[in-house]
């Protein structure tokens, strides 16, 4: 603590302090020194006078620490400070003031959302063209008519060269969408998505520095049409459900199940709550790792009440990014050898966690959505299932989303080419025995 104060006292009065503070904060974050990183990244925001890149870094740190409401407040502060700043494209202009008004309404700061958008009854649908471009189309009911908010159809491509400030601001806005979803403030999402779709569609943002923020934004926006009653979004908040809870704990694939109300085979209603641990590989969970995704995993586990029913959905990133590369770099002699190491780390971690927290634990297979990694995924799942079925404390979820020839995902489960849509839960809901939590 004294060292932190000494470093802060040296830096805060120097020119370029924000960059130095952020550098130290991000270095501390890399090694999971999160409380100290929080201090430095928070100070970088103040020193920069809420410059976008520093706000974004601090918001992600708060997200890692599961401080979602505080992170959303930082997004609100940024929008308030930069209220006149706007981004224009496709004959639409979106300002920080507009985005901030929706965030503030979600935080119960104002009634701006209802004032701007009238009736709170929304309809959300996905429109897709022959080039696989997807638009999340939002309509609002006014009197007896449906009125489109934002784009009506997919526009002709207009490539925009975003400057650094615009890119960082987009990342903050996209992250606000993710945070609202994680907090269960789903009724705020349709008007916000309607604002953002015109300025992000067909812009190849997946090739930019904000690809991760954009990926979560597009995932959330494409999940919205799968909620049967858009108007019920405002009821899907943390304390408004009286049935049994199931926690979907994992990387981005955990969100496909989030906030769904499902009736089990014995007639009990259950709601699935998301517990997101962004970027976690099973490899990160090894004993000697200090990398911050391990911190995210254990903080997520802490947030789930003891004796809860938990679905663990991890290891897709291991299959997509790590295993083939590790073999190429001669860290393992074969894919199978690497898989065994990763599976052992993952299952051993789960067994230890379940013993500690008395979870009713279900292990979800890695979803074989991507064509390029499907062979690795199927091999991985075979090894993972074998290991899980040897553990009395873990239950394997038997799910098959592939065609008979195993060459593609069945059309009824497809979403965005990377994730599956929520209807696939029908394949596993009857395999889950609810606990009292």
């Amino acid at each position: 603590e004294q060292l932190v104060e000494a470093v802060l006292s040296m830096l805060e009065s120097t020119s370029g302090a924000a960059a130095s503070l952020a550098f130290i904060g991000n270095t501390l974050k890399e090694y999971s020194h999160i409380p100290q990183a929080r201090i430095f990244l928070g100070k970088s925001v103040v020193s920069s006078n809420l410059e976008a890149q520093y706000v974004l870094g601090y918001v992600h740190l708060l997200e890692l620490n599961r401080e979602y409401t505080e992170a959303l407040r930082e997004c609100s502060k940024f929008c308030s400070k930069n209220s006149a700043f706007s981004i224009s494209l496709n004959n639409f202009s979106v300002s920080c003031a507009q985005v901030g008004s929706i965030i503030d309404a979600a935080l119960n700061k104002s009634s701006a959302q209802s004032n701007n958008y009238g009736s709170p009854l929304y309809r959300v649908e996905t429109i897709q063209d022959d080039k696989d471009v997807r638009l999340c189309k939002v309509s609002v009911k006014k009197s007896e008519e449906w009125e489109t908010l934002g784009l009506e159809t997919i526009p002709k491509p207009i490539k925009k060269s975003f400057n650094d400030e615009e890119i960082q601001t987009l990342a903050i806005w996209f992250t606000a969408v993710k945070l609202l979803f994680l907090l269960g403030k789903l009724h705020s999402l349709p008007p916000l998505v309607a604002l953002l779709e015109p300025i992000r569609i067909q812009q190849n943002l997946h090739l930019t520095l904000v690809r991760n923020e954009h990926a979560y934004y597009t995932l959330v926006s494409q999940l919205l049409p799968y909620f049967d009653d858009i108007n019920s979004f405002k009821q899907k908040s943390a304390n408004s459900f009286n049935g049994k809870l199931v926690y979907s704990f994992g990387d981005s694939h955990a969100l496909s199940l989030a906030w769904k109300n499902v009736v089990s085979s014995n007639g009990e209603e259950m709601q699935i709550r998301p517990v997101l641990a962004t970027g976690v590989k099973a490899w990160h969970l090894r004993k000697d790792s200090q990398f911050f995704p391990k911190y995210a995993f254990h903080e997520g586990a802490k947030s789930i009440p003891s004796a809860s029913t938990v679905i663990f959905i991890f290891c897709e990133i291991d299959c997509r990014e790590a295993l083939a590369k590790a073999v190429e770099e001669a860290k393992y002699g074969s894919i199978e050898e690497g898989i065994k190491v990763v599976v052992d780390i993952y299952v051993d971690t789960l067994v230890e966690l379940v013993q500690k927290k008395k979870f009713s634990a279900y292990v979800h297979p890695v979803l074989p959505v991507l064509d390029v990694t499907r062979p690795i995924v199927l091999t991985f799942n075979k090894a993972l299932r074998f290991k899980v079925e040897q553990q009395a404390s873990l239950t394997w979820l038997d799910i098959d989303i592939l065609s008979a020839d195993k060459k593609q995902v069945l059309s009824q489960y497809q979403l965005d080419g990377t994730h599956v849509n929520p209807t696939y839960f029908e394949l596993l809901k009857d395999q889950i025995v609810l606990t009292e939590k």
Side-chain angles (χ1 to χ4, degrees), residues 284-344:
H284 296 147
L285 305 179
R286 67 195 188 279
K287 297 294 184 183
D288 61 344
S289 173
Q290 294 180 299
F291 194 34
F292 69 87
K294 181 179 180 179
Y295 177 92
F297 175 88
H298 287 290
E299 286 300 299
K302 285 180 189 177
S303 74
I304 302 172
S306 296
S308 293
T309 300
V310 184
I311 302 171
F312 291 92
I313 312 180
F314 290 99
C315 301
E316 189 274 335
I317 307 176
D318 295 271
C319 293
R320 171 165 44 90
E321 293 184 359
L323 285 166
K325 183 179 180 182
V327 173
E328 288 174 7
E329 295 175 352
K331 293 179 180 177
Y332 304 114
S334 66
I335 289 288
E336 289 76 13
E337 182 186 348
I339 286 173
K340 184 181 184 307
V341 172
V342 172
V343 165
D344 285 348

Side-chain angles (χ1 to χ4, degrees), residues 255-281:
L255 300 191
S256 290
L257 301 177
W259 302 111
K260 299 299 288 184
N261 289 2
V262 184
V263 178
S264 67
S265 57
N266 61 0
E268 289 187 285
E269 188 175 17
M270 54 183 168
Q271 186 179 88
I272 307 170
R273 298 283 176 87
V275 180
L276 179 66
T278 299
V280 171
K281 300 174 186 173

Side-chain angles (χ1 to χ4, degrees), residues 100-117:
S101 70
I102 297 176
I103 295 173
D104 288 348
L107 290 169
N108 299 317
K109 286 186 177 180
S110 72
S111 58
Q113 183 179 343
S114 60
N115 289 341
N116 286 343
Y117 296 103

Side-chain angles (χ1 to χ4, degrees), residues 4 19 62 96 134 148 176 199 235 259 269-270 285 296 322 344 369 407:
V4 169
L62 293 171
C96 275
R134 293 177 176 89
T148 300
I199 60 170
Q235 277 82 49
W259 302 111
E269 188 175 17
M270 54 183 168
L285 305 179
D344 285 348
V369 178
K407 290 185 177 180

Side-chain angles (χ1 to χ4, degrees), residues 169-416:
T169 298
L170 280 173
I172 292 171
W173 293 350
F174 293 153
T175 302
V177 169
K178 176 185 180 183
L179 292 166
L180 288 166
F181 187 82
L182 292 172
L183 286 166
K185 296 180 179 293
L186 306 183
H187 194 250
S188 300
L189 289 172
L192 184 50
V193 167
L195 276 178
L196 298 181
E197 283 291 88
I199 60 170
R200 71 95 207 162
I201 194 168
Q202 296 181 321
Q203 296 307 305
N204 291 329
L205 291 171
H206 63 290
L207 302 178
T208 71
L209 292 176
V210 301
R211 58 187 176 275
N212 290 335
E213 291 86 357
H214 181 253
Y216 269 104
Y217 165 84
T218 55
L219 172 59
V220 169
S221 66
Q222 289 178 53
L223 289 174
L224 295 185
Y226 290 92
F227 289 88
D228 297 330
D229 183 0
I230 292 295
N231 199 40
S232 72
F233 277 22
K234 58 187 175 184
Q235 277 82 49
K236 291 184 182 292
S237 59
N239 300 312
S240 62
F241 182 75
N242 295 319
K244 300 291 180 64
L245 300 180
V246 175
Y247 294 88
S248 175
F249 180 24
D251 54 29
S252 63
H253 295 272
L255 300 191
S256 290
L257 301 177
W259 302 111
K260 299 299 288 184
N261 289 2
V262 184
V263 178
S264 67
S265 57
N266 61 0
E268 289 187 285
E269 188 175 17
M270 54 183 168
Q271 186 179 88
I272 307 170
R273 298 283 176 87
V275 180
L276 179 66
T278 299
V280 171
K281 300 174 186 173
W283 174 248
H284 296 147
L285 305 179
R286 67 195 188 279
K287 297 294 184 183
D288 61 344
S289 173
Q290 294 180 299
F291 194 34
F292 69 87
K294 181 179 180 179
Y295 177 92
F297 175 88
H298 287 290
E299 286 300 299
K302 285 180 189 177
S303 74
I304 302 172
S306 296
S308 293
T309 300
V310 184
I311 302 171
F312 291 92
I313 312 180
F314 290 99
C315 301
E316 189 274 335
I317 307 176
D318 295 271
C319 293
R320 171 165 44 90
E321 293 184 359
L323 285 166
K325 183 179 180 182
V327 173
E328 288 174 7
E329 295 175 352
K331 293 179 180 177
Y332 304 114
S334 66
I335 289 288
E336 289 76 13
E337 182 186 348
I339 286 173
K340 184 181 184 307
V341 172
V342 172
V343 165
D344 285 348
I345 292 169
Y346 182 44
V347 174
D348 290 349
T349 300
L350 296 189
V351 168
E352 184 178 336
L353 177 62
V354 170
Q355 183 178 16
K356 178 181 177 181
K357 297 210 65 173
K358 311 300 179 187
F359 290 149
S360 176
Y362 295 85
V363 180
H364 193 295
V366 179
L367 289 164
V369 178
L370 295 173
D371 293 341
V372 68
T373 61
R374 189 169 298 128
I376 293 177
V377 169
L378 294 177
T379 303
F380 187 95
N381 281 341
K382 184 177 179 180
L384 179 58
R385 179 173 188 166
F386 179 79
K387 182 81 171 181
V388 165
E389 290 181 341
Q390 292 178 318
Q391 316 302 319
S393 59
L394 304 177
T395 300
W396 178 257
L397 290 173
D398 193 8
I399 304 167
D400 187 2
I401 61 168
L402 296 179
S403 58
D405 60 8
K406 306 300 181 186
K407 290 185 177 180
Q408 61 182 350
V409 176
L410 291 169
S411 59
Q412 63 263 39
Y413 304 128
Q414 293 176 9
L415 182 67
D416 60 1

